[in-house]
Amino acid sequence: IRPLASRSKMTKEFRYFSYLKLDSSRSMEKPLKTGWLKKQRSIVKNWQLRFFVLRGNVLTYHKDDRESAVQGTIPLFSCHVNELPSNADDKFLFEIIPGDTDREREREAYVLMATSQSEMEEWVRSIRKAIGSRSNGVFGKSLSDIMVYEKKFGPRLVPILVEKCAEFIREHGLNEEGIFRLPGQDNQVKQFREAFDAGERPSFPCDTDVHTVGSLLKLYLRELPEPVVTWPRSWE
């Protein structure tokens, strides 16, 4: 009699076959991003040039840009992606860390190299968006949680987003009428929101419409789980 597999093994096999089952439908999806990247091999640590395709929450790599054969698949479920410091030889590096690990041995991260800083940042941003993880997000989180998370960026009294918005409005918007009354540009508000939620700390270009920054700040305050002026509490 064949022994039953462990719960963790059965879960991983289920996920694996689920990805296989979705391959045909995923192949019809429009890629979120494609391009050439160098992939570090896990054993000999040399680099292989591969064509990467990001569809849904799965990253595949191929020998050519025709996607004729899949060389490997990186499921992004519960993964984390981080930029890596560069040295003289290897530049523009980032890693994808699997979130699902074996108890006996942790799975190695996938280390990838882009051709430029901007290309690396675009890949990191696209993968974070595909993962859909809001672990680094700031919108919809309590002030206390945000302040704990942002301690790694240095001591501060308010969230980074609030600080950046206030500084920009003070510098560019004090003579502007209706800073918080007139709406900003929706597409830019969305872009800034996605950047902050992806763990970035973007700066606002000097030609940014001050109403856009005001709309971003209003959106952040609206989505706080508990408002800045907190709900009424019973007096003792």
Side-chain angles (χ1 to χ4, degrees), residues 33 37 54 76 80-84 92-96 112 114 117-131 136 194 198-200:
K33 182 168 176 56
L37 293 170
L54 177 61
L76 299 176
H80 303 280
V81 58
N82 300 311
E83 298 179 15
L84 295 175
F92 318 124
L93 304 179
F94 63 97
E95 63 178 356
I96 301 173
L112 306 172
Q117 179 72 21
S118 60
E119 180 72 5
M120 178 192 68
E121 291 175 353
E122 188 175 343
W123 271 109
V124 170
R125 184 163 49 249
S126 298
I127 292 173
R128 282 176 175 163
K129 185 176 180 180
I131 292 172
N136 292 337
E194 290 178 350
E200 302 174 22

Side-chain angles (χ1 to χ4, degrees), residues 39-50:
K39 176 181 176 294
Q40 190 177 65
R41 299 175 67 182
S42 58
I43 300 177
V44 293
K45 300 299 182 184
N46 62 349
W47 296 96
Q48 291 179 323
L49 185 63
R50 292 291 182 263

Side-chain angles (χ1 to χ4, degrees), residues 49-169:
L49 185 63
R50 292 291 182 263
F51 187 77
F52 281 76
V53 179
L54 177 61
R55 278 192 178 92
N57 60 351
V58 174
L59 187 64
T60 58
Y61 51 94
H62 314 256
K63 278 190 175 182
D64 55 55
D65 57 4
R66 298 189 301 274
E67 304 178 43
S68 53
V70 178
Q71 295 288 304
T73 301
I74 306 176
L76 299 176
F77 179 78
S78 297
C79 288
H80 303 280
V81 58
N82 300 311
E83 298 179 15
L84 295 175
S86 62
N87 54 46
D89 299 321
D90 301 331
K91 299 180 179 180
F92 318 124
L93 304 179
F94 63 97
E95 63 178 356
I96 301 173
I97 306 172
D100 188 13
T101 59
D102 290 324
R103 292 182 180 180
E104 299 177 0
R105 178 179 62 87
E106 290 190 358
R107 294 163 58 189
E108 292 189 12
Y110 302 93
V111 180
L112 306 172
M113 184 195 304
T115 56
S116 67
Q117 179 72 21
S118 60
E119 180 72 5
M120 178 192 68
E121 291 175 353
E122 188 175 343
W123 271 109
V124 170
R125 184 163 49 249
S126 298
I127 292 173
R128 282 176 175 163
K129 185 176 180 180
I131 292 172
S133 171
R134 297 181 64 85
S135 59
N136 292 337
V138 297
F139 283 82
K141 286 197 172 183
S142 68
L143 287 173
S144 57
D145 288 342
I146 291 298
M147 297 309 295
V148 170
Y149 167 71
E150 292 186 347
K151 277 185 178 179
K152 63 181 182 181
F153 299 123
R156 55 181 27 85
L157 299 175
V158 297
I160 294 174
L161 182 145
V162 175
E163 184 178 286
K164 284 183 170 290
C165 288
E167 289 177 351
F168 186 88
I169 292 172

Side-chain angles (χ1 to χ4, degrees), residues 10 16 20 88 95 97 109 123 130 150-151 176 182 209 214 231:
M10 290 175 65
Y16 174 73
L20 293 182
E95 63 178 356
I97 306 172
W123 271 109
E150 292 186 347
K151 277 185 178 179
E176 190 75 23
L182 299 177
D209 180 14
W231 294 304

